[in-house]
Amino acid sequence: MTAPATDPQAPSWERDGVRLEIHGELAVVTLCRPKRRNAQSPALWRVLAAAGCDLPGSVRVVLLRAEGVSFSAGLDRAMFTPEGIPGEPTFLQLAASSDQELDAAIASYQEAFTWWRRPDLVSIAAVQGHAVGAGFQLALGCDLRVVAEDVQFAMKETSLGLVPDLAGTKPLTELVGYARALEICATGRWVGAEEAAAIGLANLVVPGEELDAAARDLAAALLAAPRGAVIETKALLQGAAGRSFDEQRSAERAAQARRLRELAGIGD
C-alpha cells in the first residue's frame, strides 16, 4: 500500500516540493518540482526535515529520488535577490542578524540534510542530471548513491563567496579524501558519473532509464537482511574511523554478542 505519511499535510508538502510515500519497510521521498529543476528553499528544507520526523518506526530503508531531468539544481536563485523568497529571511537579513540567530537559522536548514544517516535507517539517493550545491549535499547526506550516466555533481558555493554549510563537507571528505574534497569544493568544477564511481562518490552507475529500478533493487537487497544485523553493521562502520584497530575489534565482539543472544532468544 502506498500512502503519504500524513494525509492532511501531503498537499502542502507537494507545494513545497516534496512527496513522501510509505511502502511497508521502504519510504520513498521524492523531490517534485521538476519545472524548477528541484531548486531548494527553506520551505522545502522544513518539509524534508518533517519527513524524517514522520517516518513510521517500521521503515528500514529510505529512497530519495527526484522527478525531472535534474536531481536538484541547488538553491532557489530567488534567495540571492534583494527581495528573496516571500515569507523567508533574505541573505541580507540573515547576515544582519545576531550570531545566535544566524547560527540557529543555519542549524534549522541543516536538519533537512542530517537525518538520512540515522542509525536505524539505510538511505539511498538516486541521482540524475545536475546535483549542484545544496543538491550535491543532499545526495551526500544519504548512506549510498546510485547515479545515472548523465549525473553532474558540483559544489558551487565558493564561486558565490559562500561555503558548503548543509552538512556535506564531512561525508564528502570521508568519501573522497581531504585533498580531492578541497579541490572539488574550491574549484566548483563538475564531477561526472565515471569519476564519481572512481573516487567513491557513487556506489553504482546505470543508464538513466534504469535509475529508479536499480535504486529499488538495492533497497530490496538491503531489506533482505535482518534489521538488527544491518543496524549493528552500520554502527560498526560509522564508528570505525574514530576507533583504533583494537577498539574496533572490541566493538565487533560486543555487537556480535548482542546478535548471538538476540538470535538465541536471550537478548535484553
Side-chain angles (χ1 to χ4, degrees), residues 171-260:
L172 179 62
T173 303
E174 290 175 340
L175 287 167
V176 307
Y178 160 74
R180 195 177 298 275
L182 175 60
E183 179 247 331
I184 288 171
C185 291
T187 65
R189 70 173 178 84
W190 297 104
V191 178
E194 183 177 354
E195 183 182 1
I199 65 178
L201 273 178
N203 296 85
L204 182 67
V205 178
V206 297
E209 64 273 15
E210 298 176 15
L211 179 63
D212 196 60
R216 290 176 184 270
D217 285 347
L218 178 55
L222 292 165
L223 290 169
R227 182 171 198 165
V230 174
I231 289 173
E232 289 278 15
T233 300
K234 179 174 178 176
L236 282 171
L237 297 173
Q238 282 187 319
R243 301 188 189 106
S244 68
F245 182 69
D246 286 341
E247 289 169 340
Q248 184 70 2
R249 289 171 56 226
S250 177
E252 291 173 354
R253 295 194 299 272
Q256 194 71 300
R258 289 189 293 271
R259 295 304 309 141
L260 288 169

Side-chain angles (χ1 to χ4, degrees), residues 94-113:
L94 286 171
S97 62
S98 70
D99 290 348
Q100 293 79 8
E101 290 169 334
L102 180 54
D103 184 77
I106 297 173
S108 72
Y109 301 157
Q110 290 175 332
E111 290 178 4
F113 296 78

